[in-house]
Amino acid sequence: MTLPELQTLVDAAAELSPRHHAAVLTLAITGLRVSELVNAEWRDLFQDPQGRVGLRVIGKGDKERVIRVRDDLLGVLSALHGSGELNAKDRSPLLPSTRGTAYSARAVHKLVAQATQAAGLNKPVSPHWLRHTHATLAAAGGAPAVVIQASLGHARLETSQRYI
């Protein structure tokens, strides 16, 4: 997916609902797997000593990694959460449904599909395609392959290079 296509998708998602917007933006900016997003909780967000916000993610093989959370994404997630306060005891979902529960992977796929349709994109877009887009745009922006590997949580550099 190109950057203009991604921007069209993000804009369409924002017009649909805050949840559509948060799902699409989070997947595109972080490169998370859909399973990682649906399992993430508010308590997984933290601020480092330099004031940067990170998200602890448990990936495949129960491997933990940290994803940097941009300020714009934190704003979108905070609006959904109802507060920007980071609390290590807050077990609410990072991406809450209208009932305040975690979305299923299938429901996140549906959010992305609805945003894709609203954007008028004539290509298959899924949460996994947003992960590809994250890696491809990072590479195009000059990110080293090892940084992309760490961001995606791949054990092998060769796996990350397939995305690029």
Side-chain angles (χ1 to χ4, degrees):
M1 177 178 281
T2 66
L3 186 56
E5 290 171 330
L6 178 59
Q7 188 60 58
T8 299
L9 179 62
V10 169
D11 292 344
E15 288 183 28
L16 284 173
S17 80
R19 285 171 177 75
H20 286 83
H21 188 215
V24 169
L25 195 62
T26 302
L27 291 165
I29 288 177
T30 65
L32 290 175
R33 295 174 180 96
V34 69
S35 61
E36 295 167 342
L37 176 58
V38 300
N39 290 318
E41 296 178 341
W42 192 257
R43 69 181 183 155
D44 297 327
L45 291 168
F46 67 94
Q47 192 169 34
D48 71 12
Q50 290 78 32
R52 296 174 298 213
V53 176
L55 174 67
R56 280 184 205 87
V57 176
I58 305 299
K60 283 186 175 178
D62 289 330
K63 291 183 182 173
E64 183 177 310
R65 70 183 190 283
V66 174
I67 303 292
R68 186 177 180 285
V69 176
R70 293 182 355 192
D71 292 342
D72 56 343
L73 176 57
L74 182 61
V76 169
L77 294 171
S78 295
L80 258 185
H81 184 260
S83 168
E85 182 183 342
L86 303 182
N87 180 344
K89 295 181 181 180
D90 188 341
R91 296 200 57 129
S92 59
L94 186 66
L95 181 64
S97 69
T98 54
R99 293 176 289 152
T101 59
Y103 275 100
S104 66
R106 184 174 180 198
V108 172
H109 277 270
K110 189 174 180 179
L111 291 173
V112 172
Q114 290 167 341
T116 302
Q117 184 176 13
L121 297 175
N122 294 322
K123 58 173 45 180
V125 179
S126 68
H128 200 74
W129 269 105
L130 293 174
R131 184 171 163 81
H132 280 274
T133 299
H134 165 80
T136 302
L137 293 177
V146 294
V147 170
I148 296 169
Q149 175 189 10
S151 173
L152 297 176
H154 289 151
R156 297 176 34 176
L157 186 58
E158 294 80 17
T159 305
S160 302
Q161 289 173 326
R162 286 192 324 224
Y163 285 79
I164 303 163

